[in-house]
Each structure stands twice: as structure tokens, then as C-alpha cells.
Amino acid sequence: HQERRKSEEEVQEKIEYRDGKVEEVLTDGRRIITFRNGTKKEISADKRTMTFSFFNGDVKKIMPDQTVIYYYADAQTTHTAYPDGLEVLQFPNNQIEKHYPDGTKEIVFPDSTVKCLYSNGFKETIFPDGTVVKAEKNGDKIVVFSNGQKEIHTVQFKRREYPDGTVRTVYYNGRQETKYSTGRVQIKDEEGNIILDKK
């Protein structure tokens, strides 16, 4: 098997150009062009795939469907650009970023946290424990916890909603209001003193 492979890769023709470029035609139909600066360009036998190996270790591959895969050796990062405009970056720490044509960015962190940044300024983060944080462009934020609790943050207040129907609101001035599922309402002033406790 190895002998056959070796014979497939034998140089059938070698052309040396005046500018220092060397072109080799292999018996399996591939062409390898080596430039003076050390860059190599390999063209597949069907002429549909091209691979560039640069002197700094970077590698660029152009696939038959025009997908371009670029590996940055120093950063150990792969950038893939698809014909439909999607771009995917893969980092050495296993972080993956997807940049969509509409401006949306999706980042998958090594701990499996997923963050989506939308072109309209909306952000959504999904944590491995199931917690979801949604943030509006104006700073308003909704946090949905995996235990069913929900928190709403605005400039005016922070509100926590519990699965049993209890709602606790803390206003920007420090006043607190708790509405229990039983119908009881308790209001505390900014110093924590109860000013209303209606059952």
C-alpha cells in the first residue's frame, strides 16, 4: 500500500521558472507550486481544491464549493468562511464563534455557555445550568433561572418572580414590595421598615 502511494506521489514533471518559482506535477495529477518566499500552493488533480501553505505556518484551503478555511498557526485558530456569508472561528481553547450575514454573532464558550449578540443590540446568554439571561439594548435584563425563578432588571426596579406566584420588587429608591401568592402584600421603605402588611 505504501509503495503504491509513493508511486502516486512521484514527480512526473518539474518546471523551474526564472523568478525562482518551482512547479511540480505529480503522477496522481496534483500540482505543487513552491514560491521563492517558501509559500506552497497545491492544486488538486480535479483542480477544484487549492491549499496554500505559507512560510509562517498558516494554511489556507479553498474548497470546491468556494468555502475558505484559513488556519492561523501562531494563534492556533481556524477561520472558515462559507459562500453564504457565515464565518466560523475556532480557537485553541475550544471557543467557537459564528458570525452570520445578518450581523448576529453566536459564541460557544469552552464551558458550553452560549452567547448570542443580535444586530439590533439584543443579547441572550444560555448557561450550562439552564439559566438564560436576555438583555435589551436599553439595559433592561430578564434572567430565567433553571429553578423556575425569573428576575427582571430595569432602571426603575429589580423584580424576582417565584414559581409559587410570589413577586418581590426592589425599586431604585430602595423601597421593597412583596406580593405573595396568597394575596398578602408587604411594603417596606428604603430603610427596611414595614409600612404596609395587608393580608
Side-chain angles (χ1 to χ4, degrees):
H1 177 72
Q2 274 189 321
E3 281 181 31
R4 194 183 91 230
R5 182 180 198 110
K6 196 174 182 183
S7 68
E8 283 176 3
E9 294 179 358
E10 277 183 16
V11 177
Q12 185 177 348
E13 184 182 356
K14 186 173 184 175
I15 306 160
E16 294 184 22
Y17 296 92
R18 285 190 189 145
D19 63 3
K21 179 172 69 176
V22 176
E23 184 173 351
E24 296 173 316
V25 180
L26 307 183
T27 51
D28 66 2
R30 288 180 297 139
R31 291 179 174 275
I32 299 173
I33 301 163
T34 306
F35 297 90
R36 265 192 8 209
N37 67 1
T39 297
K40 285 187 177 195
K41 176 181 180 181
E42 182 178 318
I43 303 167
S44 63
D46 64 4
K47 296 179 177 56
R48 297 185 61 205
T49 304
M50 283 191 279
T51 305
F52 298 85
S53 302
F54 299 99
F55 63 92
N56 65 356
D58 288 6
V59 178
K60 178 181 181 180
K61 193 168 195 172
I62 302 171
M63 307 302 286
D65 69 354
Q66 297 307 303
T67 295
V68 177
I69 304 165
Y70 197 105
Y71 175 75
Y72 296 91
D74 281 350
Q76 297 178 356
T77 299
T78 303
H79 175 232
T80 306
Y82 294 93
D84 65 2
L86 172 65
E87 294 185 34
V88 179
L89 293 128
Q90 294 173 286
F91 297 94
N93 67 352
N94 291 325
Q95 178 173 314
I96 297 170
E97 286 187 18
K98 294 180 181 177
H99 298 231
Y100 294 90
D102 68 359
T104 301
K105 290 182 187 175
E106 179 184 284
I107 304 164
V108 180
F109 294 94
D111 70 354
S112 298
T113 297
V114 178
K115 182 179 237 175
C116 295
L117 309 166
Y118 299 92
S119 56
N120 64 1
F122 182 75
K123 297 176 191 168
E124 183 176 42
T125 306
I126 303 162
F127 293 93
D129 70 355
T131 300
V132 178
V133 177
K134 298 176 181 185
E136 297 288 342
K137 190 177 181 178
N138 67 4
D140 289 359
K141 193 172 8 175
I142 297 173
V143 182
V144 180
F145 297 96
S146 54
N147 63 7
Q149 294 181 19
K150 182 176 175 181
E151 213 168 79
I152 300 165
H153 298 227
T154 70
V155 179
Q156 290 85 23
F157 63 84
K158 287 184 183 176
R159 175 178 294 141
R160 180 156 304 215
E161 299 173 0
Y162 297 87
D164 70 356
T166 299
V167 177
R168 178 170 286 134
T169 306
V170 179
Y171 293 92
Y172 72 94
N173 63 4
R175 195 180 101 219
Q176 298 177 37
E177 179 181 283
T178 306
K179 294 179 181 176
Y180 297 92
S181 55
T182 59
R184 177 181 170 200
V185 177
Q186 186 180 69
I187 299 174
K188 294 180 182 179
D189 66 17
E190 53 276 351
E191 291 162 10
N193 302 314
I194 296 173
I195 55 175
L196 176 71
D197 197 345
K198 187 173 118 190
K199 294 177 182 163

